[in-house]
Amino acid sequence: MATFMIYSSKEKQALELITAAKSVGAAAVKAVCINDEAQANALAAAGAEVLLINNDAISLADVAAVASALGQVAAQLGADTILLSSDRRGKEAAGRLAAILDAGCLTDISAIKANGDKIECQRNALGGATVATQYIASDKKIIAIRPKTFDAPGAGSGSVNAMTVDVKASAVKLIETKTRGGDSVDIEAAEALVVVGQGLNSKDDLPAVEALAKKLGGEVACSKPVATDKKWLSEERIVGLSGKKCKPELAIILGISGQVQFTVGIRDAKVIVAVNSDENATINGMADYILTADMHDVIKEMNSSL
Amino acid sequence: MNIVVAMKQVPDLQQVRIRNREPVFTDVPLVLGNIDKNALEAAVAIKESGDANVIALSAGNEDVEDTIKEALAAGADEAFLVLDDKLNGAESGVVAQVLAAAVKKIDDVGLILFGEGSGDNYSGQVGSRVAELLGLPQVAYASALELKGDKALVTRSLEDCTEIVEVTLPAVVTVLSDINEARIPSVTQILKAGKKPKEVLELDEVGVKIPPAASVVTVSNLAPETERKRIVVKSVAELIQSLTTEGVIGR
Amino acid sequence: MEKFDVIIVGGGLAGLAAAYTLAQQELEVLVLEKGDYPGAKNVTGGRIYVSPVRDLFPDLWAKAPLERFIAHEGVTMMAKERSVSIAYHGQELLEEPYQSYSILRAKFDRWFAKQAERKGAMLVTKSRVDEVIIEDGKVCGVWAGGDELRADVVIACDGVLSLTAEKAGLRKPGNPHDFAVGFKEVIELPAETIENRFNLTDNEGAAHMFMGEVTRGKFGGGFLYTNKESLSLGIVVGIKDLMEDQPAIEAPVLLDEFKQRPEIAALIRGGETVEYSAHVIPEGGLNALTKLTGNGIVVAGDAAGFSMNIGVTVRGMEYALASGYYAAQAVLKAREAEDYSAGSLAVYEQLLKDSFVMKDFNSFRNAPEALENPRLFTHYPELLGNVMRDMYHMPAGPKDRLYPTVMKYMKFNDLLKMFGDFRKVKKI
Ligand SMILES: Cc1cc2nc3c(=O)[nH]c(=O)nc-3n(C[C@H](O)[C@H](O)[C@H](O)COP(=O)(O)OP(=O)(O)OC[C@H]3O[C@@H](n4cnc5c(N)ncnc54)[C@H](O)[C@@H]3O)c2cc1C
Ligand SMILES: Cc1cc2nc3c(=O)[nH]c(=O)nc-3n(C[C@H](O)[C@H](O)[C@H](O)COP(=O)(O)OP(=O)(O)OC[C@H]3O[C@@H](n4cnc5c(N)ncnc54)[C@H](O)[C@@H]3O)c2cc1C
Ligand SMILES: Nc1ncnc2c1ncn2[C@@H]1O[C@H](COP(=O)(O)O)[C@@H](O)[C@H]1O
């Protein structure tokens, strides 16, 4: 029987990992918390056997120290199946820990399933064009699971025990942390999305887009370049491989060419509308309704008729 | 100081087609991963503002000799290649060992840059693994990078915040595509690329053996089934009508 | 600034043929291609006649990635609701060396480019030529993306609407009305399905032409070629003809309608369209050729107008290969004489005259005119269709005699016109 260990720097995601471990048959879940007593208590309240490391020498910004600590705990526990959250911190730690433990590692996992003694994992491959089902055959396994793949577990009665580890002097010094400015939108939760791409002429056209989203009872989302290159919308609103995977009832996609790295984030929507001035745009191949038109006209017209 | 940039040869994903849900790779041209080009650009920018020698490092099959020209044209000074057919589709753990062994053969390495994820696999492991194998500090997801003496100032971009960290060199940094816009080399640069030095080693020469059993096994790799209606509508009115019938608007 | 012996603009068949030939003679050749890969955007129907160019590139054909050799030919006259097909099978089509093959340019051109590079040619893709450098009335090089590139001679192989030939003053900017457009899809099907549907054994292939209702009776037609694991299906139609109709016909609609014809639908059923492309085609014919040489410049392939639109099909690939080859030969001669003036390069024209290229263009001189006869594309397909319908129709009562049935559609006057029309076509 595998010995499961979970870790995430974020409480919510750590809780999800408890559910994940249970879903593949973990009888007991060992959870590691680093310098975070609140998280330790929350995980214990959800049934995990928490190992709390309090060590000022470990900064989350120094993933070498984090991975080293996790490696030491895993060795002491005899843990062979380690679940991490596949957010950026989790992924950064995954590779490092995999090298320490000589483990096979899969990241960006969007589903896991026990099949005999194997844990079959699904992840997007080839930029999102395909979904690969893979399992780790080596003794030690590290699986990084995308946030929100699992719900939080119900209440349980766990425990919190202190754990000590030794880490090397850090070569990484945190100078400053800037929290992202204000946009706390959750496009993954929206029932309807109005998704705009580089077909949008200018930032000044955004109010009309927002008005439309509002009329549809949804949110505005975008392709990656609109947020990262043009900086017209926050990165919270990016749909796709490096953004969010959304499953709204309705997605109206305007001025987006439809490359796989984008479509992978929206292909589970119930109804997809593609509006593009190019009648041969790739996005049309994955739409339920195709309208070849200037997106600005369409937005205006929809706003006035809805 | 040498800056090593790890660059992976991948199939041009725009050219990969899906047939019966399976990806088809025959005749698909090979290119360097997009984000790896951003990593190279970051290195070249440092070189241009100071003094450094940029080495493009790649592990793969013999086609890499051709593919890597693009890196040499876009500003790398040399290429360091480990070539073997067995490296085709090799898993992250093996690739990391090969790259780490190769870096050890290069003198005076100050920075080792990686893409945040490779073009085809996009798993974001190799950079972290190499850092651990070499016992070096690392900063991943860099959206800005600046050298300051024997340190680098890196902006690490996370989901909910950005961190500015200072890391002592030598160090591993993996970059986001937002860090810069990779240059498109000119014809003259492309022509000169062929003449730049290339060091080509075989797998034995870096002392890495491919383990007989894979640690990650792929059961299947299929395009998801998508059944879309693909109805062409002629007007906004017609669209609204259809969406109302679907019950997705006007609820 | 870089200097080469020869700069070739365009890495299509003409450009690669020239590069291959020149590199073989160890000249420093630079090919500039604007596409991501050679062949990536090159549209062709899909049949190449290898016979006329086989000997120009003796080492090339054995390993060339051609699709299927054409063993079965067919023509279909399409009326609105019916069609009549003629199938041609001939022993000569089955004998090696095979006359013609279906071809996919994305594969072929990339491979051909590799061969040219192996011979020593330098190929730079994603590089578009924007200017021609002219000094003292002589072309000395080109500008590509901010790079000044010089050479003793430039070969313009940049296809129809050649910018290089235009900037060098050899081609007048065209009027869109003088061109045709082609639309094409590549539809994937398993090899076995293709072989069953078209009655093919092994590597045999079929070529099929369609005329009549495909283009709503306009000058042009449809084509279908079998590749190894796909079909190339498309139409060609004159731009002028499209615009004449009110409202103007949209060519992509024609292709969609063509695909929906039951005759076609059955052949492509279950296939997946993996490539869609559109391209301009020079109206063709002798009169549409550009000036072929200038000081320091030679023009080859579609850039020079070496493509012949004979209505239902277009021929251009073998002319592109041959003219590229002869352009290279002319450059080699000029190099010997160390004289790259128009006069010295004019040997190109002589080489072409002695070859099948100009011979074909002379004998097809009247093709565009004869083929513009609308009766060919509307009247005859309907006529044939009606005759056949009456022949095959089995009424409840007694069936009419055949001769009067035919004559019902062909009045004497008709016969006379028909005779005239076909006499013109025969010249082609
Ligand atoms: C590793 C990796 C990860 C990536 N992750 C993501 C990701 O998570 N999300 C993402 O989106 N991208 C991602 N990308 C980038 C992706 O490949 C594409 O570059 C991007 O999705 C293109 O955005 P776009 O469609 O808005 O822009 P474009 O490709 O420029 O398309 C613009 C479209 O707008 C149309 N248009 C123009 N004007 C109008 C008009 N007036 N009216 C209507 N239509 C108009 C055009 O016809 C065109 O189709 C990633 C890339 C890589 C390599
Ligand atoms: C629908 C259709 C069907 C056809 N069917 C057939 C057929 O069945 N058989 C047949 O023999 N012929 C056919 N043809 C004609 C044939 O495809 C052409 O004659 C042939 O491709 C011409 O070759 P080329 O090398 O001259 O030009 P192209 O193949 O057009 O090559 C020109 C190259 O130059 C590049 N280029 C253009 N401008 C620049 C620039 N400024 N800088 C750098 N590069 C540039 C282009 O990207 C291109 O690669 C068909 C054509 C069409 C459109
Ligand atoms: N075979 C390889 N050769 C060189 N660099 C590689 C190779 N594979 C991965 N990399 C580097 O590691 C990064 C992350 O890859 P991955 O872990 O596969 O997502 C890439 O962006 C490259 O910089």
Side-chain angles (χ1 to χ4, degrees):
Chain A
M1 183 67 211
T3 304
F4 283 84
M5 176 178 125
I6 64 147
Y7 168 76
S8 171
S9 62
K10 293 230 160 48
E11 179 179 315
K12 182 164 181 297
Q13 285 156 28
L15 285 167
E16 291 166 13
L17 293 176
I18 296 176
T19 317
K22 291 197 169 145
S23 81
V24 286
V29 180
K30 317 237 186 238
V32 184
C33 293
I34 298 174
N35 298 337
D36 188 343
E37 202 163 336
Q39 190 197 127
N41 292 332
L43 298 188
E49 298 167 22
V50 179
L51 300 149
L52 174 61
I53 299 167
N54 276 318
N55 185 337
D56 289 343
I58 306 176
S59 148
L60 288 189
D62 181 14
V63 77
V66 173
S68 159
L70 294 174
Q72 292 172 49
V73 181
Q76 287 195 33
L77 297 177
D80 51 19
T81 306
I82 298 165
L83 305 187
L84 303 174
S85 56
S86 200
D87 52 357
R88 285 185 176 170
R89 277 210 204 285
K91 276 172 83 171
E92 192 175 351
R96 191 124 194 165
L97 184 56
I100 294 174
L101 299 176
D102 196 13
C105 173
L106 286 169
T107 57
D108 266 325
I109 298 306
S110 53
I112 58 173
K113 192 179 83 190
N115 182 0
D117 57 354
K118 298 180 186 112
I119 301 176
E120 286 187 350
C121 304
Q122 287 197 345
R123 62 188 304 267
N124 287 313
L126 300 175
T130 55
V131 176
T133 303
Q134 298 175 301
Y135 67 86
I136 301 174
S138 54
D139 297 344
K140 302 266 171 49
K141 305 171 178 59
I142 297 177
I143 303 174
I145 301 174
R146 288 178 70 104
K148 297 192 189 166
T149 303
F150 289 91
D151 293 330
S157 57
S159 56
V160 178
N161 287 300
M163 184 89 177
T164 51
V165 292
D166 281 330
V167 293
K168 280 198 268 179
S170 179
V172 176
K173 191 167 119 205
L174 179 63
I175 310 267
E176 191 187 342
T177 303
K178 292 184 200 161
T179 39
R180 284 269 168 80
D183 199 348
S184 60
V185 64
D186 184 2
I187 58 168
E188 283 164 308
E191 292 268 302
L193 285 179
V194 178
V195 198
V196 293
Q198 298 206 88
L200 193 71
N201 281 341
S202 85
K203 199 175 172 155
D204 302 338
D205 298 313
L206 279 175
V209 179
E210 277 150 19
L212 178 58
K214 205 163 200 175
K215 287 199 164 152
L216 296 168
E219 293 287 352
V220 175
C222 62
S223 68
K224 190 167 171 233
V226 172
T228 56
D229 302 353
K230 303 224 154 102
K231 308 216 184 311
W232 291 346
L233 286 165
S234 79
E235 292 185 19
E236 289 297 304
R237 294 182 191 262
I238 299 175
V239 168
L241 188 63
S242 42
K244 304 275 167 65
K245 273 196 95 176
C246 305
K247 303 176 186 167
E249 291 288 298
L250 171 64
I252 300 187
I253 300 173
L254 305 119
I256 289 179
S257 54
Q259 300 194 28
V260 289
Q261 293 95 348
F262 168 80
T263 58
V264 63
I266 200 73
R267 68 181 169 214
D268 295 330
K270 183 160 160 270
V271 176
I272 295 179
V273 177
V275 179
N276 199 300
S277 48
D278 174 5
E279 66 176 329
N280 294 317
T282 315
I283 191 75
N284 291 350
M286 56 129 21
D288 295 296
Y289 297 96
I290 299 162
L291 180 55
T292 303
D294 187 306
M295 61 181 286
H296 306 89
D297 298 343
V298 172
I299 293 168
K300 204 188 289 167
E301 233 183 298
M302 287 193 87
N303 271 331
S304 61
S305 27
L306 284 173
Chain B
M1 178 182 86
N2 283 313
I3 303 179
V4 175
V5 185
M7 303 184 80
K8 185 179 185 187
Q9 166 183 270
V10 296
D12 184 345
L13 294 188
Q14 309 276 13
Q15 309 280 325
V16 175
R17 287 184 292 98
I18 303 292
R19 191 191 292 160
N20 297 328
R21 298 184 61 201
E22 303 260 8
V24 182
F25 293 103
T26 36
D27 297 321
V28 173
L30 297 163
V31 294
L32 293 172
N34 274 329
I35 309 178
D36 300 357
K37 291 185 199 162
N38 296 110
L40 175 67
E41 181 64 40
V44 175
I46 292 172
K47 171 178 100 172
E48 285 173 350
S49 67
D51 184 26
N53 185 55
V54 178
I55 302 176
L57 167 64
S58 189
N61 65 13
E62 282 173 3
D63 295 328
V64 176
E65 274 209 69
D66 235 19
T67 314
I68 205 72
K69 274 192 207 151
E70 197 178 342
L72 295 169
D77 299 296
E78 322 170 18
F80 194 106
L81 311 178
V82 184
L83 304 184
D84 195 305
D85 278 348
K86 289 194 224 93
L87 288 169
N88 254 353
E91 52 189 43
S92 309
V94 173
V95 171
Q97 284 181 37
V98 171
L99 298 180
V103 171
K104 283 191 192 151
K105 291 189 179 286
I106 302 173
D107 292 335
D108 187 27
V109 174
L111 256 182
I112 311 166
L113 298 184
F114 290 80
E116 156 222 353
S118 55
D120 52 352
N121 198 25
Y122 195 63
S123 93
Q125 290 184 41
V126 172
S128 286
R129 280 183 182 264
V130 170
E132 176 63 32
L133 292 175
L134 294 173
L136 295 179
Q138 74 178 87
V139 184
Y141 303 104
S143 57
L145 168 63
E146 195 187 325
L147 282 202
K148 276 198 166 162
D150 65 343
K151 295 196 162 53
L153 207 57
V154 189
T155 305
R156 175 196 265 135
S157 192
L158 297 170
E159 284 84 356
D160 51 357
C161 67
T162 52
E163 289 178 347
I164 297 172
V165 299
E166 194 181 75
V167 55
T168 313
L169 303 184
V172 166
V173 174
T174 83
V175 310
L176 290 167
S177 62
D178 328 352
I179 192 168
N180 53 40
E181 192 155 331
R183 73 191 64 189
I184 297 167
S186 70
V187 176
T188 337
Q189 286 164 327
I190 292 170
L191 294 171
K192 286 193 180 126
K195 299 181 190 104
K196 290 190 177 174
K198 253 189 272 179
E199 170 128 16
V200 180
L201 297 186
E202 287 176 15
L203 209 46
D204 308 344
E205 294 173 85
V206 291
V208 175
K209 288 215 170 46
I210 309 242
S215 68
V216 172
V217 178
T218 301
V219 181
S220 67
N221 186 20
L222 296 173
E225 271 175 306
T226 43
E227 278 303 319
R228 291 287 166 185
K229 299 198 184 98
R230 294 163 75 169
I231 298 171
V232 176
V233 292
K234 289 280 176 219
S235 66
V236 170
E238 195 184 327
L239 177 63
I240 291 177
Q241 175 65 48
S242 307
L243 295 180
T244 312
T245 315
E246 290 266 4
V248 288
I249 58 173
R251 275 164 304 176
Chain C
M1 187 201 71
E2 298 274 319
K3 166 98 183 353
F4 304 85
D5 293 335
V6 187
I7 290 176
I8 297 171
V9 187
L13 292 181
L16 294 172
Y20 181 86
T21 311
L22 289 168
Q24 208 158 15
Q25 302 301 322
E26 286 169 18
L27 266 67
E28 259 197 38
V29 188
L30 173 67
V31 184
L32 299 169
E33 166 56 49
K34 72 175 175 193
D36 286 1
Y37 309 101
K41 290 267 158 59
N42 302 55
V43 185
T44 203
R47 176 215 294 246
I48 184 167
Y49 286 93
V50 171
S51 306
V53 289
R54 196 182 310 271
D55 297 341
L56 303 184
F57 312 93
D59 313 332
L60 204 61
W61 304 105
K63 285 198 184 139
L66 297 165
E67 295 292 307
R68 291 170 181 271
F69 73 90
I70 304 301
H72 305 277
E73 307 267 3
V75 180
T76 297
M77 298 280 198
M78 279 191 160
K80 281 210 172 62
E81 285 166 339
R82 50 192 57 82
S83 63
V84 180
S85 301
I86 302 167
Y88 176 75
H89 306 277
Q91 191 53 37
E92 77 286 358
L93 295 178
L94 302 175
E95 279 162 10
E96 282 192 81
Y98 303 119
Q99 292 178 15
S100 72
Y101 290 83
S102 52
I103 181 174
L104 288 169
R105 291 287 295 277
K107 262 191 218 163
F108 184 85
D109 288 21
R110 202 182 300 154
W111 176 84
F112 194 12
K114 267 259 135 36
Q115 310 312 307
E117 281 186 288
R118 287 223 175 108
K119 300 267 180 212
M122 287 168 272
L123 169 75
V124 178
T125 55
K126 297 180 204 163
S127 162
R128 175 202 299 271
V129 167
D130 343 86
E131 268 310 330
V132 174
I133 304 171
I134 303 177
E135 279 166 13
D136 305 326
K138 178 188 177 295
V139 172
C140 313
V142 297
W143 282 95
D147 266 328
E148 181 182 353
L149 304 158
R150 288 180 173 254
D152 291 334
V153 60
V154 170
I155 309 183
C157 300
D158 44 350
V160 61
L161 306 176
S162 165
L163 178 106
T164 313
E166 189 184 319
K167 298 252 176 190
L170 303 179
R171 188 181 80 84
K172 289 190 198 68
N175 177 347
H177 284 232
D178 294 337
F179 294 91
V181 275
F183 291 84
K184 177 193 158 190
E185 286 187 14
V186 175
I187 301 170
E188 272 190 357
L189 281 169
E192 210 183 88
T193 310
I194 295 177
E195 283 150 23
N196 287 337
R197 285 186 192 171
F198 292 85
N199 266 328
L200 308 172
T201 43
D202 301 335
N203 211 20
E204 283 182 4
H208 214 109
M209 309 299 127
F210 301 84
M211 49 198 302
E213 190 52 26
V214 198
T215 50
R216 302 237 181 108
K218 305 287 177 220
F219 174 70
F223 57 82
L224 191 158
Y225 300 102
T226 57
N227 302 312
K228 281 204 175 91
E229 295 187 313
S230 63
L231 304 176
S232 292
L233 179 76
I235 53 162
V236 172
V237 61
I239 294 180
K240 180 176 66 188
D241 293 293
L242 288 177
M243 313 212 332
E244 262 169 12
D245 259 45
Q246 284 309 327
I249 306 171
E250 285 176 40
V253 173
L254 291 180
L255 182 53
D256 276 344
E257 287 174 358
F258 183 39
K259 285 170 68 183
Q260 282 160 20
R261 291 279 304 212
E263 300 93 327
I264 301 297
L267 296 173
I268 62 176
R269 198 182 53 234
E272 195 190 338
T273 299
V274 292
E275 196 185 304
Y276 176 89
S277 50
H279 201 77
V280 176
I281 303 164
E283 186 74 326
L286 197 59
N287 307 329
L289 294 183
T290 63
K291 276 184 78 179
L292 296 175
T293 53
N295 290 325
I297 185 167
V298 188
V299 192
D302 270 9
F306 284 127
S307 130
M308 201 153 5
N309 181 1
I310 41 182
V312 276
T313 51
V314 184
R315 275 189 71 188
M317 286 190 272
E318 50 280 6
Y319 300 130
L321 286 170
S323 58
Y325 171 84
Y326 289 119
Q329 296 300 335
V331 165
L332 290 170
K333 289 232 156 63
R335 188 177 162 87
E336 265 170 41
E338 291 178 43
D339 175 4
Y340 296 99
S341 67
S344 165
L345 289 165
V347 56
Y348 176 46
E349 285 160 47
Q350 193 54 48
L351 288 167
L352 286 169
K353 267 198 192 115
D354 298 340
S355 75
F356 74 98
V357 178
M358 287 316 275
K359 286 181 184 152
D360 277 4
F361 270 74
N362 275 313
S363 39
F364 286 61
R365 191 170 45 215
N366 297 318
E369 232 173 277
L371 285 165
E372 259 177 59
N373 181 350
R375 293 167 58 80
L376 223 48
F377 300 93
T378 43
H379 187 66
Y380 297 120
E382 282 295 336
L383 183 96
L384 261 171
N386 289 338
V387 171
M388 289 309 215
R389 178 193 57 196
D390 288 4
M391 252 170 74
Y392 287 111
H393 181 67
M394 192 50 73
K399 193 167 162 68
D400 288 338
R401 280 173 51 223
L402 208 54
Y403 180 69
T405 306
V406 174
M407 286 323 286
K408 186 168 83 194
Y409 298 105
M410 286 195 212
K411 308 283 148 36
F412 178 71
N413 228 346
D414 257 328
L415 280 177
L416 204 67
K417 274 204 200 127
M418 188 163 148
F419 183 67
D421 288 345
F422 281 107
R423 214 179 42 183
K424 277 192 213 137
V425 174
K426 235 185 65 200
K427 283 202 206 143
I428 298 172

